[in-house]
Amino acid sequence: MSDNQSPLGFTPNEMMTIAASRALRNDDVCFVGIGAPSAACNVARLTHAPDITLIYESGTIGTAPDVLPLSIGDGELCETAVTTVAVPEMFRYWLQGGRISIGFLGAAQLDKFGNINTTVIGDYFHPKTRLPGGGGAPEIATSSKEVYITMAQTRRGMVEKIDFFTSFGHGNGGDHRKRLGIDTAGPTLLITDLAIWKPDPVTKEFTVVSLHPGVSRQQVQETCGWVVKFAEALDETPAPSELELKTLRDLQARTKAAHEGTGKEKAA
Amino acid sequence: MVKFLPLKEAVAENLKDGDTVAFEGFTHLIPTAAAHEAIRQGFRDLTLIRMTPDLIYDQMIGMGMAKKIVFSYVGNPGVGLLRRARDAIENGFPRPIEVEEHSHAGMANAYEAGAAGLPCAVFRGYRGAGLAAVNPNIKSITCPFTGEVLAAVPAIRPDVTFIHAQKADRKGNVLVEGIIGIQKEAVLAAKRAVVTVEEVVDNFDDLHPNLTVLPRWTIAAISVVPGGSHPSYAHGYYARDNAAYLEWDEIAADREKFQAWMQANVIEKSADDFADRVEHLRKAA
């Protein structure tokens, strides 16, 4: 990603990952979803939140990988974890038991109420595109105390109406979660490559509260499939610090080297 | 009682056409050698159960062996989609397959219920999720004590479960360590279980008794297949072949390329080839 730098000295994706990492606190217990969340969580751990507890659904609790795992069950996660438990225990005791403060999810499709689709594009029974599905996400979304979401903005990804409710966010907004008997807060933060969004306290619609450096309102709207609401007091996200950028780039360089290192061509 | 058998016989004795079968392993210790043996023996009309179908189910589905899959994440972990499974679901190629989809929590609870001999699993799940509307095996149940409405799914009871593990002792007890996934539950939920292992040791006397051990009387057959989980990994033995997972995306994207790969790497090979595949991934002692 660092090969596509903007004149600002960092890419939108780097800004997204770093802004997401800043949202995590040292005492958080974070259930880390596949993809973009993993980089943000590990940057947090390597910068301002060294004692953050990272949990992957493979059962690794308190892991501190040196490189980003390609999958949620890489050996590195177990080797560096405080403990590793069986998958049923992971979901029953730790997630369902209410011990996770932040569930950190990515999305293929997202709507303005934080509902996520990673299951199908099109009709479920006759899908246009069959995506991998929910994995742990349906329960991460309802059993974690809060949910953070991170994704790069596109009109295809941020849509008025998602094709399938893989993970429930705020439903149709308002008190929809409560009406379904879900007592956790749900999506409280959305971090994209362009902006930071928070749900409106009443309607629960995601509202832009901070634009990343150099990003205009128009850019946010052009890459979003619904009519974007902006907060009255709109902040600018602080640019990545040198330490944050170096930490992220080093992590990604180590990761790239590690994953190439297992190639068959190297065996010969 | 457990038998030590060559993999070919262990598979032939325990798997039949039309069976409901689980090849389990949660990213770690995936029983690839056993799956490849099943592919060579050409079983048909299988119901394939697995939380994370991964490459081996992509291969079995691509070879037309499955009539149904039960799963919770049909992706290539960390890479993307499973392209043979997609082709079957989206286009009915090489044959249409029935899909029963759950969340990880749903599958994990269902395996646990199977191991516990219960008819169903009860948990706090699927709230607001679309799966409950498209999968008739996701129902709800009201707690008789608190009135809370909970999700219920039927127990998973495979005819046969295959897993890969680090080691067996001479009596046939099996040790699993590292990311232990769902393997113990999948074995105990099944009518029969077949385990491939990296090695056989005399006994487990010097090991900590809290390690996950499946007693020999829970297993039908053990086959020694070093490297048998490649391209996944065996904690303490060899690392995950991430490059092979990345390569699979290209192989599986093309129907002909897939067939050629299967012919050269599965049909014309045997379980003995796995040891070589992990040689460059083995950890320095």
Side-chain angles (χ1 to χ4, degrees), chain A residues 57-58 70-75 79 87-88 91-92 96 124 129-130 132 135-136 139 164-165 168 181 259 262-263 267, chain B residues 26-27 72 74 78 81 86 90 101 103-104 109 112 123-128 130 181-182 233 241-243 280 283:
Chain A
E57 62 197 18
S58 55
L70 183 69
S71 82
I72 45 83
D74 279 22
E79 280 158 20
V87 170
F91 284 97
R92 287 179 73 80
Q96 182 181 255
Y124 182 80
T129 306
R130 175 65 229 199
E139 283 78 24
F164 191 86
F165 273 60
F168 193 77
H259 292 171
T262 59
Chain B
F26 201 86
T27 314
S72 44
V74 64
L81 306 159
R86 263 186 75 179
E90 293 171 13
E101 181 167 7
S103 65
H104 281 348
N109 277 284
E112 213 180 32
F123 66 109
R124 192 177 291 122
Y126 293 120
R127 290 183 171 172
I182 193 73
Y233 68 104
D241 194 345
N242 282 328
H280 69 294
K283 310 214 160 163

Side-chain angles (χ1 to χ4, degrees), chain A residues 205-228:
Chain A
E205 175 175 341
F206 269 125
T207 306
V208 176
V209 296
S210 179
L211 293 172
H212 298 338
V215 173
S216 68
R217 291 176 183 232
Q218 194 188 343
Q219 270 176 286
V220 175
Q221 181 60 74
E222 279 170 357
T223 51
C224 181
W226 65 79
V227 178
V228 178

Side-chain angles (χ1 to χ4, degrees), chain B residues 127-171:
Chain B
R127 290 183 171 172
L131 279 180
V134 295
N135 178 351
N137 269 339
I138 299 170
K139 295 188 188 295
S140 63
I141 193 164
T142 303
C143 169
F145 304 104
T146 63
E148 184 177 359
V149 177
L150 299 159
V153 291
I156 292 173
R157 307 299 303 266
D159 292 309
V160 52
T161 287
F162 290 87
I163 66 163
H164 186 73
Q166 274 95 352
K167 53 187 94 170
D169 68 12
R170 300 237 175 261
K171 290 179 177 169

